[in-house]
Amino acid sequence: MTSPETKDASSESRYATARAHWVQSLELCRAERFLWCIPYLLEGFGSLAAAEGQPVRAVRLVGAAATLHETIGAPLPPVWQADFRLGHRQAAAAL
């Protein structure tokens, strides 16, 4: 059986790995001027913040992603909208 400390350390390790990959992706997208993918990455960072118990940061990142989707004309695909709204509601409820 896995102890709570082991689960916490494992989650923290996965979060750190996810963050590192998303940072690398963000840097590549910015360098190549692929603006369309940046709001998706911000959503990923927002989900990560929510998972780490940082609801204020999560809501800010998700809000920035939504604004950027609209600003650059890259709307969230309909198939992802339900997940996006659910994640946003959960983060907002945690405030």
Side-chain angles (χ1 to χ4, degrees):
M1 180 174 230
T2 305
S3 71
E5 293 82 19
T6 302
K7 286 182 181 179
D8 288 345
S10 175
S11 292
E12 287 178 22
S13 174
R14 288 192 319 259
Y15 297 155
T17 299
R19 182 177 294 103
H21 288 295
W22 283 331
V23 165
Q24 183 180 27
S25 294
L26 184 60
E27 290 169 354
L28 289 169
C29 289
R30 287 179 55 202
E32 297 297 324
R33 304 181 73 81
F34 294 152
L35 297 180
W36 64 268
C37 58
I38 293 175
Y40 299 105
L41 293 167
L42 291 176
E43 290 165 7
F45 283 116
S47 295
L48 181 60
E52 292 179 309
Q54 300 173 3
V56 172
R57 186 168 186 235
V59 169
R60 286 180 179 160
L61 286 163
V62 167
T67 299
L68 191 54
H69 274 297
E70 186 176 317
T71 300
I72 66 172
L76 189 64
V79 71
W80 292 352
Q81 289 178 6
D83 288 338
F84 177 79
R85 285 191 300 269
L86 175 63
H88 190 252
R89 281 194 308 269
Q90 289 172 336
L95 291 176

